[in-house]
Amino acid sequence: MNVNDFERYEGLIFDCDGTLADSMPVHYVAWRDTLMRYAMEFEEDRFYSMGGMPSAKIVALLAKERGLQVDAEAVAAEKETHFQSLIDQVQPMHAVCQIAAAFRGKKPMAVASGSGRVVVEKQLVALGIDHWFPVVVTSEDTERHKPEPDVFLEAARRIGVAPENCVVFEDSPLGFQAAEAAGMDWVDVR
């Protein structure tokens, strides 16, 4: 990824987990540890395929597949609390953060994530980049989530840039689909 490749865009939108923050391995540990208490396995490849999906939806889907009755919101909250206890292990995705640093204060930028606000903001603070993004859109800000385009469209609206003039930095297939549905170009940061 070369900074000059993104000069033509008016707005830059960044996913957080796996894009700005190398947090996915830490999220997986939190998922694995939490779901083991509920007799649910969550294979690592499946975990990565569901990137961008809100935690409660993941819990509800896994429980349904296994015929288990659980409080999806409570299990998701437990997983998020466990992740937050591990947040000091999260590292920046250097190549993506370098692009954000290059455009900081020069172009409108936003974070658009399927995670909850508290988790996203804590990661941005832990990485020391929270002040780079005047706009942060999270799962609480839209009713529909990736692969639906809503989180990216809301981010574009809030930074005041037409969707077709934005580029999305993303690490998951659901996120790529959401960016395409929003009419935005996207970059696979993996």
Side-chain angles (χ1 to χ4, degrees), residues 25-102:
V26 181
H27 272 290
Y28 181 69
V29 169
W31 272 115
R32 185 195 64 212
D33 294 352
T34 302
L35 293 177
M36 280 183 6
R37 290 193 284 277
Y38 296 90
M40 284 192 268
E41 288 184 37
F42 195 16
E43 299 79 17
E44 194 167 3
D45 58 337
R46 181 103 189 264
F47 159 74
Y48 281 101
S49 75
M50 297 173 111
M53 186 181 291
S55 296
K57 287 187 176 186
I58 292 172
V59 173
L61 178 66
L62 295 174
K64 181 179 179 185
E65 289 174 357
R66 287 161 179 80
L68 299 172
Q69 295 291 322
V70 299
D71 180 341
E73 293 291 338
V75 175
E78 187 178 328
K79 177 266 170 186
E80 295 303 326
T81 298
H82 186 36
F83 173 75
Q84 289 176 47
S85 75
L86 304 171
I87 213 154
D88 61 332
Q89 297 177 27
V90 173
Q91 298 296 311
M93 295 290 281
H94 293 290
V96 179
C97 288
Q98 287 174 344
I99 290 169

Side-chain angles (χ1 to χ4, degrees), residues 52 93 114-115 124 133 179 185:
M93 295 290 281
S115 292
L124 296 175
F133 302 97
D185 289 344

